[in-house]
PDB file of all heavy atoms in Angstrom:
ATOM      1  N   VAL A 155     -66.657 -59.260  25.306  1.00  0.00           N
ATOM      2  CA  VAL A 155     -68.107 -59.328  25.200  1.00  0.00           C
ATOM      3  C   VAL A 155     -68.510 -60.718  24.717  1.00  0.00           C
ATOM      4  O   VAL A 155     -67.832 -61.309  23.866  1.00  0.00           O
ATOM      5  CB  VAL A 155     -68.638 -58.261  24.212  1.00  0.00           C
ATOM      6  CG1 VAL A 155     -70.154 -58.335  24.110  1.00  0.00           C
ATOM      7  CG2 VAL A 155     -68.208 -56.871  24.633  1.00  0.00           C
ATOM      8  N   ASN A 156     -69.617 -61.232  25.254  1.00  0.00           N
ATOM      9  CA  ASN A 156     -70.154 -62.527  24.849  1.00  0.00           C
ATOM     10  C   ASN A 156     -71.490 -62.359  24.132  1.00  0.00           C
ATOM     11  O   ASN A 156     -72.290 -61.493  24.490  1.00  0.00           O
ATOM     12  CB  ASN A 156     -70.380 -63.431  26.073  1.00  0.00           C
ATOM     13  CG  ASN A 156     -69.086 -63.795  26.763  1.00  0.00           C
ATOM     14  OD1 ASN A 156     -68.046 -63.931  26.134  1.00  0.00           O
ATOM     15  ND2 ASN A 156     -69.148 -63.970  28.073  1.00  0.00           N
ATOM     16  N   PHE A 157     -71.715 -63.251  23.143  1.00  0.00           N
ATOM     17  CA  PHE A 157     -72.996 -63.325  22.440  1.00  0.00           C
ATOM     18  C   PHE A 157     -73.404 -64.787  22.377  1.00  0.00           C
ATOM     19  O   PHE A 157     -72.546 -65.653  22.162  1.00  0.00           O
ATOM     20  CB  PHE A 157     -72.877 -62.802  20.999  1.00  0.00           C
ATOM     21  CG  PHE A 157     -72.251 -61.438  20.880  1.00  0.00           C
ATOM     22  CD1 PHE A 157     -70.878 -61.303  20.750  1.00  0.00           C
ATOM     23  CD2 PHE A 157     -73.037 -60.303  20.899  1.00  0.00           C
ATOM     24  CE1 PHE A 157     -70.297 -60.050  20.631  1.00  0.00           C
ATOM     25  CE2 PHE A 157     -72.466 -59.046  20.783  1.00  0.00           C
ATOM     26  CZ  PHE A 157     -71.091 -58.921  20.647  1.00  0.00           C
ATOM     27  N   GLY A 158     -74.682 -65.089  22.549  1.00  0.00           N
ATOM     28  CA  GLY A 158     -75.055 -66.496  22.478  1.00  0.00           C
ATOM     29  C   GLY A 158     -76.552 -66.716  22.507  1.00  0.00           C
ATOM     30  O   GLY A 158     -77.359 -65.788  22.420  1.00  0.00           O
ATOM     31  N   GLY A 159     -76.893 -67.977  22.633  1.00  0.00           N
ATOM     32  CA  GLY A 159     -78.288 -68.381  22.705  1.00  0.00           C
ATOM     33  C   GLY A 159     -78.364 -69.830  23.116  1.00  0.00           C
ATOM     34  O   GLY A 159     -77.353 -70.524  23.251  1.00  0.00           O
ATOM     35  N   GLY A 160     -79.598 -70.296  23.332  1.00  0.00           N
ATOM     36  CA  GLY A 160     -79.739 -71.682  23.735  1.00  0.00           C
ATOM     37  C   GLY A 160     -81.168 -72.069  24.040  1.00  0.00           C
ATOM     38  O   GLY A 160     -82.120 -71.338  23.745  1.00  0.00           O
ATOM     39  N   PHE A 161     -81.278 -73.219  24.659  1.00  0.00           N
ATOM     40  CA  PHE A 161     -82.573 -73.834  24.979  1.00  0.00           C
ATOM     41  C   PHE A 161     -82.523 -74.311  26.417  1.00  0.00           C
ATOM     42  O   PHE A 161     -81.528 -74.894  26.863  1.00  0.00           O
ATOM     43  CB  PHE A 161     -82.812 -75.024  24.035  1.00  0.00           C
ATOM     44  CG  PHE A 161     -84.047 -75.808  24.345  1.00  0.00           C
ATOM     45  CD1 PHE A 161     -85.288 -75.404  23.863  1.00  0.00           C
ATOM     46  CD2 PHE A 161     -83.984 -76.961  25.124  1.00  0.00           C
ATOM     47  CE1 PHE A 161     -86.437 -76.136  24.143  1.00  0.00           C
ATOM     48  CE2 PHE A 161     -85.112 -77.698  25.411  1.00  0.00           C
ATOM     49  CZ  PHE A 161     -86.347 -77.281  24.915  1.00  0.00           C
ATOM     50  N   LYS A 162     -83.607 -74.050  27.169  1.00  0.00           N
ATOM     51  CA  LYS A 162     -83.673 -74.483  28.561  1.00  0.00           C
ATOM     52  C   LYS A 162     -84.999 -75.183  28.806  1.00  0.00           C
ATOM     53  O   LYS A 162     -86.070 -74.627  28.518  1.00  0.00           O
ATOM     54  CB  LYS A 162     -83.523 -73.285  29.499  1.00  0.00           C
ATOM     55  CG  LYS A 162     -83.390 -73.670  30.971  1.00  0.00           C
ATOM     56  CD  LYS A 162     -82.978 -72.479  31.805  1.00  0.00           C
ATOM     57  CE  LYS A 162     -82.665 -72.888  33.233  1.00  0.00           C
ATOM     58  NZ  LYS A 162     -82.180 -71.751  34.047  1.00  0.00           N
ATOM     59  N   THR A 163     -84.932 -76.384  29.355  1.00  0.00           N
ATOM     60  CA  THR A 163     -86.151 -77.147  29.620  1.00  0.00           C
ATOM     61  C   THR A 163     -86.842 -76.627  30.877  1.00  0.00           C
ATOM     62  O   THR A 163     -86.247 -75.913  31.694  1.00  0.00           O
ATOM     63  CB  THR A 163     -85.825 -78.637  29.800  1.00  0.00           C
ATOM     64  OG1 THR A 163     -85.075 -78.802  31.015  1.00  0.00           O
ATOM     65  CG2 THR A 163     -85.022 -79.185  28.626  1.00  0.00           C
ATOM     66  N   ASN A 164     -88.090 -77.007  31.053  1.00  0.00           N
ATOM     67  CA  ASN A 164     -88.832 -76.610  32.252  1.00  0.00           C
ATOM     68  C   ASN A 164     -88.236 -77.214  33.519  1.00  0.00           C
ATOM     69  O   ASN A 164     -88.445 -76.704  34.622  1.00  0.00           O
ATOM     70  CB  ASN A 164     -90.292 -77.021  32.123  1.00  0.00           C
ATOM     71  CG  ASN A 164     -91.006 -76.258  31.019  1.00  0.00           C
ATOM     72  OD1 ASN A 164     -90.613 -75.151  30.673  1.00  0.00           O
ATOM     73  ND2 ASN A 164     -92.040 -76.865  30.448  1.00  0.00           N
ATOM     74  N   SER A 165     -87.473 -78.297  33.373  1.00  0.00           N
ATOM     75  CA  SER A 165     -86.836 -78.932  34.532  1.00  0.00           C
ATOM     76  C   SER A 165     -85.485 -78.315  34.881  1.00  0.00           C
ATOM     77  O   SER A 165     -84.842 -78.724  35.844  1.00  0.00           O
ATOM     78  CB  SER A 165     -86.672 -80.432  34.280  1.00  0.00           C
ATOM     79  OG  SER A 165     -85.848 -80.661  33.153  1.00  0.00           O
ATOM     80  N   GLY A 166     -85.022 -77.326  34.068  1.00  0.00           N
ATOM     81  CA  GLY A 166     -83.797 -76.618  34.426  1.00  0.00           C
ATOM     82  C   GLY A 166     -82.537 -77.099  33.751  1.00  0.00           C
ATOM     83  O   GLY A 166     -81.434 -76.703  34.139  1.00  0.00           O
ATOM     84  N   ILE A 167     -82.655 -77.941  32.723  1.00  0.00           N
ATOM     85  CA  ILE A 167     -81.485 -78.373  31.953  1.00  0.00           C
ATOM     86  C   ILE A 167     -81.348 -77.439  30.746  1.00  0.00           C
ATOM     87  O   ILE A 167     -82.308 -77.224  30.006  1.00  0.00           O
ATOM     88  CB  ILE A 167     -81.623 -79.827  31.479  1.00  0.00           C
ATOM     89  CG1 ILE A 167     -81.752 -80.762  32.683  1.00  0.00           C
ATOM     90  CG2 ILE A 167     -80.428 -80.234  30.630  1.00  0.00           C
ATOM     91  CD1 ILE A 167     -82.065 -82.196  32.315  1.00  0.00           C
ATOM     92  N   SER A 168     -80.171 -76.874  30.558  1.00  0.00           N
ATOM     93  CA  SER A 168     -79.973 -75.918  29.471  1.00  0.00           C
ATOM     94  C   SER A 168     -78.849 -76.364  28.546  1.00  0.00           C
ATOM     95  O   SER A 168     -77.862 -76.961  28.977  1.00  0.00           O
ATOM     96  CB  SER A 168     -79.654 -74.521  30.028  1.00  0.00           C
ATOM     97  OG  SER A 168     -78.482 -74.545  30.821  1.00  0.00           O
ATOM     98  N   LEU A 169     -79.016 -76.062  27.264  1.00  0.00           N
ATOM     99  CA  LEU A 169     -77.997 -76.258  26.236  1.00  0.00           C
ATOM    100  C   LEU A 169     -77.746 -74.909  25.592  1.00  0.00           C
ATOM    101  O   LEU A 169     -78.695 -74.229  25.176  1.00  0.00           O
ATOM    102  CB  LEU A 169     -78.459 -77.265  25.190  1.00  0.00           C
ATOM    103  CG  LEU A 169     -78.740 -78.687  25.676  1.00  0.00           C
ATOM    104  CD1 LEU A 169     -79.352 -79.516  24.550  1.00  0.00           C
ATOM    105  CD2 LEU A 169     -77.453 -79.348  26.164  1.00  0.00           C
TER     106      LEU A 169
END
Side-chain angles (χ1 to χ4, degrees):
V155 180
N156 295 327
F157 308 89
F161 175 84
K162 188 169 188 177
T163 68
N164 294 334
S165 61
I167 299 173
S168 60
L169 298 173

